[in-house]
């Protein structure tokens, strides 16, 4: 690469860094939509080395404004930032910041889902589901009875099918919540630990506060 080209690359990197600071200032001043639009543009122009940290920052902003689905924020920003940071072998402080932001987001997901699980609405729903399961067991038992006419048997079979589908669907939803809670908890702990491992040993105080 020629000298002039290298200078051009360095100049462009400096321009992008200045624009990133502008995006941060916009964010802090409340112009969040403009800040997010600017950093999305910067992500397209960023060097491979800068992209991972900027992805994590945009992920954090999206999480705060809730302008994107949690799955997209997690997979397209935070986890992608981790993968790219590992490829680029960033310094320990930069990597620790990425892991810290990932851990914070996972903790938020866990807390939100736990609150949803323990909400009065969900508790009432679970009680209703228990009653539905009891009703299903009674009707399944009744279905085995030979004292019903053919029409009664068909009607009862339809009712049992509807109740079973409902119970199975609810059980699947409950299982997913429990699995997601376990996954978020484990991934958050792993991210916090990696944050602590990655942070510079020359800054022990920052380790305690930062992670």
């Amino acid at each position: 690469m020629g000298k002039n080209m290298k200078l051009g690359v360095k100049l462009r990197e400096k321009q992008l860094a200045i624009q990133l600071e502008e995006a941060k200032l916009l964010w802090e001043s409340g112009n969040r939509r403009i800040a997010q639009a600017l950093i999305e543009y910067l992500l397209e122009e960023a060097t491979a080395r800068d992209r991972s940290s900027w992805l994590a920052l945009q992920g954090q902003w999206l999480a705060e404004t809730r302008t994107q689905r949690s799955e997209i924020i997690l997979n397209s920003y935070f986890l992608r930032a981790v993968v790219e940071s590992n490829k680029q072998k960033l310094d320990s402080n930069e990597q620790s910041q990425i892991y810290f932001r990932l851990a914070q987001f996972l903790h938020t997901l866990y807390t939100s889902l736990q609150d949803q699980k323990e909400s009065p609405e969900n508790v009432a729903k679970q009680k209703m589901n228990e009653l539905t399961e009891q009703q299903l067991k009674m009707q399944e038992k009744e279905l085995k009875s030979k004292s019903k006419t053919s029409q009664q048997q068909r009607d009862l079979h339809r009712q049992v099918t509807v109740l079973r589908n409902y119970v199975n669907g609810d059980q699947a939803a409950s299982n997913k919540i429990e699995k997601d809670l376990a996954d978020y908890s484990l991934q958050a702990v792993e991210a916090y630990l990696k944050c602590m491992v990655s942070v510079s040993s020359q800054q022990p105080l920052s380790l305690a506060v930062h992670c």
Side-chain angles (χ1 to χ4, degrees):
M1 184 181 291
K3 185 176 180 181
N4 289 338
M5 186 174 293
K6 287 182 179 179
L7 287 173
V9 170
K10 289 290 184 183
L11 178 61
R12 182 55 178 160
E13 288 177 357
K14 181 175 285 190
Q15 289 173 337
L16 292 173
I18 292 172
Q19 287 180 296
L20 178 67
E21 293 306 313
E22 290 176 355
K24 291 178 180 179
L25 288 173
L26 285 167
W27 179 267
E28 292 298 329
S29 64
N31 295 305
R32 297 191 162 187
R33 296 181 70 176
I34 300 176
Q36 285 178 308
L38 178 54
I39 199 171
E40 282 292 345
Y41 161 75
L42 294 176
L43 283 171
E44 295 179 1
E45 301 292 322
T47 64
R49 181 172 183 79
D50 289 333
R51 189 177 295 110
S52 53
S53 296
W54 298 2
L55 278 168
L57 178 59
Q58 176 67 318
Q60 180 181 330
W61 288 358
L62 289 170
E64 289 185 31
T65 56
R66 299 180 180 181
T67 49
Q68 190 57 273
R69 291 191 297 112
S70 298
E71 294 85 353
I72 292 178
I73 296 174
L74 179 60
N75 294 312
S76 299
Y77 291 90
F78 287 114
L79 294 182
R80 184 178 162 202
V82 168
V83 170
E84 295 203 13
S85 71
N86 290 332
K87 287 181 180 178
Q88 296 303 318
K89 294 181 170 50
L90 301 184
D91 67 59
S92 57
N93 288 328
E94 288 177 303
Q95 278 207 315
S96 71
Q97 179 74 334
I98 291 171
Y99 281 121
F100 182 64
R101 284 175 169 154
L102 169 62
Q104 281 187 313
F105 181 64
L106 288 165
H107 179 74
T108 299
L109 291 180
Y110 177 90
T111 302
S112 177
L113 193 56
Q114 187 67 32
D115 289 344
Q116 176 187 330
K117 177 184 173 183
E118 296 175 354
S119 67
E121 296 83 359
N122 193 61
V123 171
K125 181 182 177 182
Q126 292 305 313
K127 289 181 179 179
M128 180 64 69
N129 292 338
E130 290 174 6
L131 293 175
T132 303
E133 286 188 45
Q134 293 175 10
Q135 183 181 0
L136 174 60
K137 290 177 181 178
M138 291 174 58
Q139 292 203 354
E140 285 178 331
K141 185 176 180 180
E142 189 176 356
L143 185 60
K144 295 177 182 178
S145 171
K146 297 181 180 179
S147 61
K148 299 287 187 296
T149 66
S150 297
Q151 183 60 48
Q152 289 174 327
Q153 287 279 54
R154 284 194 293 270
D155 291 342
L156 190 56
H157 186 273
R158 280 194 292 268
Q159 293 174 23
V160 167
T161 299
V162 170
L163 288 174
R164 187 180 293 125
N165 289 339
Y166 177 84
V167 169
N168 289 343
D170 178 72
Q171 187 60 51
S174 297
N175 290 344
K176 186 179 186 307
I177 288 176
E178 294 301 328
K179 182 181 182 302
D180 287 346
L181 285 172
D183 288 346
Y184 293 153
S185 177
L186 178 61
Q187 290 174 354
V189 170
E190 288 177 344
Y192 276 124
L193 289 174
K194 287 179 179 179
C195 170
M196 296 174 71
V197 170
S198 297
V199 76
S200 173
S201 59
Q202 297 177 357
Q203 295 180 324
L205 289 178
S206 118
L207 171 61
V209 176
H210 188 50
C211 299

